[in-house]
Amino acid sequence: ETGVTQSPTHLIKTRGQQVTLRCSSQSGHNTVSWYQQALGQGPQFIFQYYREEENGRGNFPPRFSGLQFPNYSSELNVNALELDDSALYLCASSLVGGAGSPLHFGNGTRLTVT
Amino acid sequence: AQSVAQPEDQVNVAEGNPLTVKCTYSVSGNPYLFWYVQYPNRGLQFLLKYITGDNLVKGSYGFEAEFNKSQTSFHLKKPSALVSDSALYFCAVGYGNNRLAFGKGNQVVVIP
């Protein structure tokens, strides 16, 4: 059983640029969620994808967008990067279900915006 | 709206002593509660969850948590802490469809 893998591990971008982060779900999981973890904070829910469609969104602007592919892998895209976008971005996969299903997290992508 | 509070920034404990990390929650409806651990430069690892049933939940690596509905708490405990338990611990409440609202985290430092 392969776990959740994310790439790249680290990334440095300049304000105003665009970035794409990638995630491969754990085998057998059909739902992927993205979280942003700012330094010293808990992770914040960005959005979730199920069956290649967005299935819920947190309090993040539209310049945060995503995709889910038929093999359940996913991308997080952020346009017009701002300094406050610097954070650890975590991908989590799970089987679709209620609020009691645990999420399985990848090791994250550390994004630095200068 | 659902929320979680972890009142302490850091918990220091001597190796071999009991470890407690505190968490209180606020939800409408039945609570689904989780504890995750994060090691440096790593993602979050699932430790345990409470959905229903016994108030004492046992999880990975010898950790357990006690659900207390009247106090809206879900404290994480370990009878004898190890140096390797030093990490960042997050309490979270589940809501909607597989979503989590996290607390700010507690840094646990186990002193040899």
Side-chain angles (χ1 to χ4, degrees):
Chain A
E1 177 182 278
T2 56
V4 178
T5 58
Q6 294 185 242
S7 62
T9 55
H10 295 84
L11 202 53
I12 300 174
K13 290 287 189 177
T14 302
R15 189 171 50 185
Q17 287 187 315
Q18 178 267 344
V19 68
T20 297
L21 311 182
R22 295 177 173 83
C23 172
S24 293
S25 300
Q26 181 166 319
S27 177
H29 286 180
N30 55 15
T31 301
V32 64
S33 303
W34 287 90
Y35 286 77
Q36 180 196 64
Q37 185 179 11
L39 195 63
Q41 301 296 318
Q44 299 290 318
F45 174 69
I46 302 175
F47 45 55
Q48 181 187 85
Y49 278 81
Y50 171 65
R51 289 185 174 178
E52 303 175 46
E53 291 194 0
E54 188 177 291
N55 185 37
R57 188 178 188 92
N59 189 26
F60 281 81
R63 60 189 184 83
F64 285 78
S65 63
L67 288 172
Q68 185 185 29
F69 300 100
N71 65 354
Y72 304 132
S73 65
S74 177
E75 288 181 354
L76 164 66
N77 299 290
V78 187
N79 294 322
L81 283 167
E82 301 177 358
L83 296 179
D84 285 348
D85 296 334
S86 296
L88 180 68
Y89 288 85
L90 296 165
C91 172
S93 71
S94 61
L95 290 171
V96 68
S101 301
L103 302 182
H104 299 262
F105 285 85
N107 287 335
T109 294
R110 173 73 63 186
L111 173 64
T112 302
V113 182
T114 62
Chain B
Q2 56 288 324
S3 66
V4 167
Q6 295 182 248
E8 301 162 313
D9 289 332
Q10 182 164 311
V11 175
N12 296 325
V13 62
E15 186 177 24
N17 281 5
L19 169 64
T20 299
V21 188
K22 296 180 180 178
C23 171
T24 58
Y25 65 90
S26 175
V27 298
S28 54
N30 293 325
Y32 300 94
L33 300 165
F34 300 79
W35 276 101
Y36 284 81
V37 60
Q38 186 176 37
Y39 297 97
N41 300 314
R42 302 294 295 273
L44 279 71
Q45 295 180 30
F46 169 73
L47 281 179
L48 51 80
K49 67 178 182 180
Y50 172 83
I51 305 300
T52 186
D54 289 341
N55 289 342
L56 186 63
V57 179
K58 294 190 181 297
S60 305
Y61 312 120
F63 284 94
E64 57 190 26
E66 185 170 10
F67 171 69
N68 187 315
K69 187 173 182 178
S70 62
Q71 298 184 3
T72 62
S73 67
F74 190 56
H75 300 332
L76 181 70
K77 300 181 180 182
K78 187 170 184 180
S80 178
L82 302 173
V83 172
S84 58
D85 293 329
S86 298
L88 194 53
Y89 291 80
F90 289 97
C91 182
V93 57
Y95 67 100
N97 203 352
N98 294 52
R99 297 164 207 176
L100 294 175
F102 287 90
K104 65 178 176 59
N106 284 118
Q107 183 68 49
V108 169
V109 177
V110 182
I111 303 164

